Amino acid sequence: MANVEETMKRIESHKGVIGTIVVNAEDIPIRTTLDNSTTAKYARLLRNFTILARSTVRDVDPQNDLTFVRIRSKKHEIMIAPENNNLLIVIQSPCE
Amino acid sequence: MADVEEILKRIQSHRGVEGAIIATSEGIIMRSTLEEQITVQYVALIQPLLMKTKKTLQDMDSEDELTHLRLRTEKNELIIAADKDYFMVGIHKPSP
């Protein structure tokens, strides 16, 4: 478990990282560095998005699966790592 | 239009690139380096995903705008560049 803590701390303290959220298989955020309402909103939106992204990948090739997502926008970069129905979400401000 | 051809050629000749598709936001195929059937399948699946991504981003931050989306899968990577009127899909096999 110590490894997990260390890894999370390393990600959270990375330059530009605005927030991290870990959502479990029941859609409950089990760890977050953002406020509760933002966390709940982001977790819900990104969970729905990830479900669609994953089924898009599998519709093209049923033997394939989603391993990582990066949503790059003008203001942010949102990275989503799905694993066993859990989600690790990291929101970063891109470095100039 | 010659520019578009050149850009497509350059992308296609890049090591690891399996294909490149350009389509309008409505899903009309403009150009593709892949055969028709697979192109139609990709566009039909990615177009709604792109709409969803844009909406998700809007819900998270109404002032933000999608620039691109990267879906990493077990077998390859899809890079989707989004514009107001068009989108482009690059499919490549990332180096091991």
Side-chain angles (χ1 to χ4, degrees), chain B residues 8-20:
Chain B
L8 270 182
K9 257 205 197 116
R10 183 164 55 86
I11 292 173
Q12 182 65 29
S13 60
H14 214 277
R15 188 162 46 107
V17 172
E18 293 177 350

Side-chain angles (χ1 to χ4, degrees), chain B residues 50-64:
Chain B
L50 205 54
M51 302 297 298
K52 174 88 178 176
T53 311
K54 286 182 179 179
K55 176 143 202 318
T56 299
L57 202 56
Q58 273 276 297
D59 286 345
M60 287 174 69
D61 180 349
S62 56
E63 296 175 349
D64 208 358

Side-chain angles (χ1 to χ4, degrees), chain A residues 61 67-68 70 72-73, chain B residues 64 67-68 70 72 75:
Chain A
D61 179 356
T67 58
F68 197 72
R70 278 182 188 254
R72 188 67 147 83
S73 72
Chain B
D64 208 358
T67 59
H68 59 274
R70 279 185 180 246
R72 182 77 147 91
K75 295 186 180 181

Side-chain angles (χ1 to χ4, degrees), chain A residues 5-69:
Chain A
E5 266 306 313
E6 268 191 51
T7 305
M8 289 305 293
K9 283 221 168 79
R10 184 165 53 82
I11 295 172
E12 282 156 16
S13 58
H14 207 278
K15 186 165 67 127
V17 171
I18 297 169
T20 61
I21 305 170
V22 178
V23 187
N24 71 2
E26 273 98 52
D27 276 340
I28 299 167
I30 56 176
R31 191 192 171 102
T32 178
T33 61
L34 299 167
D35 63 87
N36 284 341
S37 65
T38 308
T39 299
K41 184 166 88 152
Y42 284 16
R44 182 178 42 90
L45 288 168
L46 294 173
R47 164 68 83 190
N48 288 342
F49 163 80
T50 308
I51 289 171
L52 186 60
R54 191 173 196 180
S55 63
T56 300
V57 169
R58 295 179 75 136
D59 282 346
V60 171
D61 179 356
Q63 320 240 307
N64 203 0
D65 202 0
L66 188 67
T67 58
F68 197 72
V69 184

Side-chain angles (χ1 to χ4, degrees), chain B residues 1-11 22 31 88:
Chain B
M1 265 325 249
D3 279 341
V4 175
E5 287 302 325
E6 276 202 42
I7 289 170
L8 270 182
K9 257 205 197 116
R10 183 164 55 86
I11 292 173
I22 300 175
R31 286 283 286 113
M88 178 161 185

